[in-house]
Amino acid sequence: MTPRAVVIWITFALPGRAVAQNVSEVQVAPPTVTVKVGERSGLLATAFDRAGNVIPTVRFIWSSNNVSVAKVDNDGTVTGVAGGVAIVEARVGPRRGQAAVQVIGAPSAGTQAGAPPQTTARPTDGTGGVDPLAGQPPGTGPASVMRIEPPTVYLLPSENTRVVPRALKDDGSPAAPVAVTWKSLRPDIASVDQNGVIVALSAGQGTVQVTSSTGLTATAPVVVQPSDIAIQEPSPVTLGPNDVDTLHVIVPGQGNRVVSPLTMQWASADPNVARVSLTGVVTAVAPGKTTLSVSGLLQTKSVDIVVHKTVAQLTVIPVFKTEVPLPIQGTAKFQVTAVAPDGTPVPEAPIRWSVGDTSLASFDPATGSLTGKKAGKTTLTARGPGLGLVATWQIRVIAAALKLSATRLGLPLNRRYGLRASFADETGTVIGPATAVTFASDNPPAVAVAEDGTISATGYGHARVTASAPGGKHAVVEVFVQGEIVVASSRSGRLQLYAAERANLAQLRKVLDDSSTAAEPAYSPDGSRLAFVSTRDGQPEIYVMDADGTSPSRLTNAPGADGAPSFTADGRAVVFHSPRTGHRQIFVQPITGSDAIQLTQEPSENSQPSASPDGETIAFVSNRDGSDDIWLMSRDGSNQRNFTKSPQVKEKSPHFMRDGSLAFLLEGKDGGRTVTQVVKADLASGRAAPLTGTDLVITDFAVSPGGDLLALVVNVQKNVQKIFIQPVATGGGAAGGGAPVAIPTTGAEQMVAATFMP
């Protein structure tokens, strides 16, 4: 058999070039080193491929950027030349690793001029040249135990760090330093040199061991695991011009440990806005936005940088006060705006908030809300980006009460009321709106309440609406739903009180079943009470009850027929007339039942009082000048003066309206015929305008607080009275108003008085 010829092709490659092309990253350890002038120290360069594996056959090119401070040999040995800082670089092709070398002081003692410098670097033959006591604190006495600090090392693949030995006595205090040697028990996972510099080679758990010259040993686990790095500072980082900040790279998956800054490489997308140093120190240059990137350990991360305009001043809400009261569990809002020299706001400028005593109050910068925790005094401070840009509020946290915009309330059917809850201090003074308040009604069929506190009158009756705030604070409003118009009618055989709505005048509902007669009703300003005159105790007296007809109580108790009750503006008292001193005079009496105070003393008839909405004035009828005129006086009875003076006509039944104007009834003669008319007069000028025509014989009337509706008591024939409801024209004049509509009656029924709910 003829042998075959075999041809073998052998291809040779330049090993240095091929290896250099596979290098993805170069790291130099330790990343920082300090030497004295004339001293030497060894640096270790390591090359890694794209998978994070160490490439052992790499030849590095070493260089120093400042040979007048430190020079470096081809094996990575650094020599201190003069005081200063130099960056030493190990390069393989385009890949570079760096270490910062700080040179301090003069040559160490014993170094003679011209003599070879002492070295702490590892010689190329791997023997000697290492300071065996490096990193150990000074101590005395023999060591009984060795330790490694830190006790556990976490690294990313290709990362390096330095650990140090500790020679300790039994009590844990430092012993005299001892010479040590280092060894990696898993050199495939992590290597360690005789300076204690560990280099992570591949994922896994390795162990490094230190052994003293006396035979003591210590080990430390080295955990090498891939994990994402992150920039510790949240993005964006906001700075003012010329501000300086330091960014840090951390490993969240390893307890947020900080990565050595010299392991990473920083860069700025726009150095005209912000510059960044090799160690992550950021310097703001000019207003604008840019991005900083950091690369290393086979990863790249970025953070946005915002450089805002210079801030000249801060504007604050609320303005500074001696003290800001804050309820426990309540909140107060604060706002600070940074303003540039040109007066424009700088919303990007950071505001740093702090509470002097966080056990008393807490602050949420996102909402600007300060929340009280417990009683005491503290401060809230806002600091802007610049000297002197500080705002400080004095805060007093108090055990405040919850206060509602009403404690009693009367509503006609289908009307709504917006209930407001506030916090009040110890004196009852409102200090701000209450937050996180919930509302509930104990009788929703009569009174419903929404989440925002809006009360709706859904049916006749009574309900308690409770507001609840954090911290166990509560407040209650009593709500009574009753007809808007209450009249005195003889429908049941004797005068009783009935209620109706303007939209359904034919549907009368009895307010209460009085054992005798009940007449002359008058609503309180909040609509929650009714005053009326009853003869149940033998003679006409003033009574007060809840608007739903419950809880009637006798107010007056004196000889004579008390009548014409009208509530004062605060609803706490009733003004009325009484002949108990001879002539009818005006009295005022608190509804709590204390003694009445006489306001008029004239030897004449003074009657039909009505209190103004501001509580300062009382209008009444007096004949002290020979005819019935409208008079005015202060609420305490002083400054009595006549408002009308017309002998030809009688003025009576004054009623204040919500706007402070006064409506009253004019009665005169026209060709032997009695002519009546309701007019409205301005209290300041005395100018009057008609609200009705003169075609009805009106004996009394009531006017709604808004002035849009009249209830007219009319003589329809001799000794027969009915009530007519008449809309008032826009603008208050009689012309253009709606036609009066009678409340339907049956048989001999009479209606003699009316009142409107506010």
Side-chain angles (χ1 to χ4, degrees):
M1 180 179 292
T2 304
R4 294 182 178 180
V6 178
V7 179
I8 300 176
W9 294 92
I10 301 177
T11 302
F12 294 91
L14 296 175
R17 180 177 299 175
V19 169
Q21 290 176 346
N22 292 329
V23 173
S24 176
E25 185 175 357
V26 174
Q27 290 190 8
V28 176
T32 60
V33 65
T34 301
V35 298
K36 295 181 179 179
V37 174
E39 282 186 342
R40 293 181 179 179
S41 182
L43 297 176
L44 175 65
T46 308
F48 301 88
D49 62 16
R50 296 182 183 276
N53 300 313
V54 175
I55 305 175
T57 59
V58 173
R59 180 175 299 174
F60 299 96
I61 299 176
W62 293 89
S63 62
S64 170
N65 74 337
N66 193 346
V67 294
S68 63
V69 172
K71 60 183 180 179
V72 62
D73 297 339
N74 289 335
D75 61 357
T77 300
V78 176
T79 303
V81 177
V85 177
I87 302 299
V88 173
E89 182 179 273
R91 178 170 58 85
V92 178
R95 308 299 181 185
R96 306 165 189 265
Q98 296 176 332
V101 178
Q102 183 178 17
V103 181
I104 60 174
S108 60
T111 302
Q112 304 295 327
Q118 297 180 2
T119 179
T120 59
R122 180 177 55 191
T124 54
D125 61 4
T127 63
V130 175
D131 182 1
L133 308 179
Q136 298 182 53
T140 59
S144 60
V145 66
M146 292 294 298
R147 289 184 183 171
I148 298 175
E149 290 186 1
T152 303
V153 179
Y154 291 92
L155 294 172
L156 303 178
S158 78
E159 190 181 3
N160 62 71
T161 190
R162 185 177 184 180
V163 293
V164 292
R166 292 286 185 262
L168 305 173
K169 292 187 286 190
D170 286 333
D171 61 1
S173 61
V178 296
V180 299
T181 57
W182 291 91
K183 179 181 180 182
S184 173
L185 304 184
R186 289 293 305 271
D188 58 321
I189 292 176
S191 66
V192 61
D193 68 7
Q194 295 309 305
N195 287 313
V197 176
I198 301 174
V199 179
L201 302 178
S202 60
Q205 181 168 326
T207 304
V208 294
Q209 175 180 285
V210 65
T211 304
S212 72
S213 57
T214 59
L216 298 174
T217 64
T219 59
V222 179
V223 180
V224 181
Q225 58 185 16
S227 185
D228 284 341
I229 61 173
I231 297 173
Q232 187 177 41
E233 289 67 29
S235 183
V237 174
T238 304
L239 302 171
N242 301 316
D243 283 352
V244 176
D245 199 0
T246 301
L247 303 181
H248 304 84
V249 177
I250 60 174
V251 186
Q254 297 179 0
N256 290 327
R257 68 177 181 86
V258 179
V259 177
S260 169
L262 292 178
T263 305
M264 314 302 294
Q265 295 179 344
W266 290 89
S268 172
D270 188 352
N272 293 322
V273 174
R275 300 190 303 267
V276 62
S277 72
L278 293 174
T279 57
V281 177
V282 183
T283 301
V285 178
K289 296 181 181 180
T290 187
T291 301
L292 303 185
S293 60
V294 60
S295 301
L297 304 174
L298 306 179
Q299 300 182 53
T300 299
K301 302 295 179 182
S302 63
V303 61
D304 293 329
I305 302 294
V306 176
V307 181
H308 60 74
K309 293 188 292 186
T310 300
V311 176
Q313 63 178 346
L314 301 177
T315 59
V316 300
I317 299 175
V319 296
F320 292 104
K321 296 181 178 179
T322 303
E323 213 168 44
V324 176
L326 177 68
I328 295 176
Q329 299 296 329
T331 60
K333 291 283 189 177
F334 295 82
Q335 179 180 329
V336 172
T337 302
V339 180
D342 60 2
T344 59
V346 187
E348 306 88 359
I351 305 296
R352 298 185 299 277
W353 297 86
S354 61
V355 176
D357 188 343
T358 55
S359 69
L360 300 182
S362 61
F363 185 77
D364 182 2
T367 61
S369 298
L370 183 69
T371 302
K373 292 183 177 179
K374 66 179 183 179
K377 293 185 178 182
T378 185
T379 57
L380 174 65
T381 301
R383 300 182 184 275
L387 295 176
L389 299 176
V390 180
T392 301
W393 291 266
Q394 302 296 321
I395 307 296
R396 180 168 60 99
V397 184
I398 59 177
L402 191 63
K403 190 172 185 178
L404 299 177
S405 54
T407 57
R408 293 176 61 90
L409 183 64
L411 294 175
L413 199 63
N414 299 321
R415 185 176 293 180
R416 294 184 177 183
Y417 174 84
L419 188 65
R420 300 185 306 278
S422 304
F423 282 119
D425 63 14
E426 298 90 337
T427 66
T429 302
V430 171
I431 59 177
T435 55
V437 177
T438 59
F439 299 90
S441 169
D442 67 353
N443 187 9
V447 178
V449 61
E451 293 181 357
D452 64 354
T454 299
I455 293 175
S456 300
T458 53
Y460 296 108
H462 164 238
R464 291 166 55 90
V465 173
T466 301
S468 302
K473 297 176 178 63
H474 304 281
V476 176
V477 56
E478 304 280 350
V479 184
F480 301 88
V481 182
Q482 185 56 278
E484 179 186 9
I485 307 167
V486 172
V487 300
S489 170
S490 63
R491 173 167 297 193
S492 61
R494 61 181 183 272
L495 289 175
Q496 298 287 292
L497 301 184
Y498 293 84
E501 304 292 346
R502 68 171 69 188
N504 188 5
L505 296 175
Q507 185 67 42
L508 292 185
R509 298 174 55 256
K510 184 177 283 190
V511 175
L512 85 161
D513 195 1
D514 195 276
S515 59
S516 182
T517 63
E520 301 184 63
Y523 265 116
S524 62
D526 61 13
S528 71
R529 290 185 173 96
L530 279 165
F532 63 101
V533 176
S534 175
T535 58
R536 65 175 68 180
D537 292 322
Q539 63 180 7
E541 301 285 359
I542 308 297
Y543 287 76
V544 175
M545 64 180 174
D546 289 333
D548 63 347
T550 61
S551 305
S553 63
R554 182 172 173 174
L555 182 65
T556 64
N557 185 15
D562 298 336
S566 175
F567 278 92
T568 56
D570 58 10
R572 298 177 181 176
V574 171
V575 290
F576 60 94
H577 65 225
S578 175
R580 62 185 66 177
T581 60
H583 294 283
R584 283 193 299 181
Q585 303 291 344
I586 307 300
F587 294 81
V588 62
Q589 183 171 336
I591 62 174
T592 52
S594 59
D595 293 338
I597 299 172
Q598 187 171 338
L599 299 179
T600 60
Q601 309 288 338
E602 290 291 323
S604 58
E605 292 291 312
N606 299 279
S607 61
Q608 301 178 0
S610 176
S612 63
D614 62 6
E616 298 299 322
T617 306
I618 296 175
F620 62 100
V621 177
S622 179
N623 66 357
R624 65 186 67 178
D625 284 346
S627 65
D628 290 342
D629 292 312
I630 305 297
W631 283 68
L632 304 175
M633 62 179 168
S634 299
R635 61 182 178 180
D636 61 357
S638 63
N639 192 25
Q640 296 185 20
R641 70 267 186 202
N642 60 330
F643 180 66
T644 65
K645 192 172 184 180
S646 48
Q648 297 82 8
V649 296
K650 296 179 179 180
E651 292 95 2
K652 58 183 181 179
S653 300
H655 294 284
F656 275 102
M657 299 167 67
R658 186 181 296 147
D659 62 3
S661 59
L662 185 66
F664 54 91
L665 181 63
L666 292 178
E667 180 181 317
K669 294 291 184 178
D670 183 11
R673 184 174 67 95
T674 299
V675 177
T676 58
Q677 187 175 38
V678 177
V679 300
K680 181 179 76 169
D682 178 70
L683 224 58
S685 65
R687 289 193 297 269
L691 295 180
T692 66
T694 60
D695 51 334
L696 297 176
V697 181
I698 304 170
T699 61
D700 196 4
F701 76 99
V703 60
S704 64
D708 65 329
L709 207 62
L710 291 170
L712 307 174
V713 182
V714 177
N715 268 338
V716 293
Q717 55 182 311
K718 187 177 181 180
N719 298 324
V720 177
Q721 293 182 316
K722 289 188 176 184
I723 292 179
F724 289 77
I725 303 300
Q726 179 177 345
V728 176
T730 303
V741 176
I743 297 178
T745 58
T746 60
E749 178 183 0
Q750 295 201 60
M751 294 184 180
V752 297
T755 186
F756 283 93
M757 180 179 283

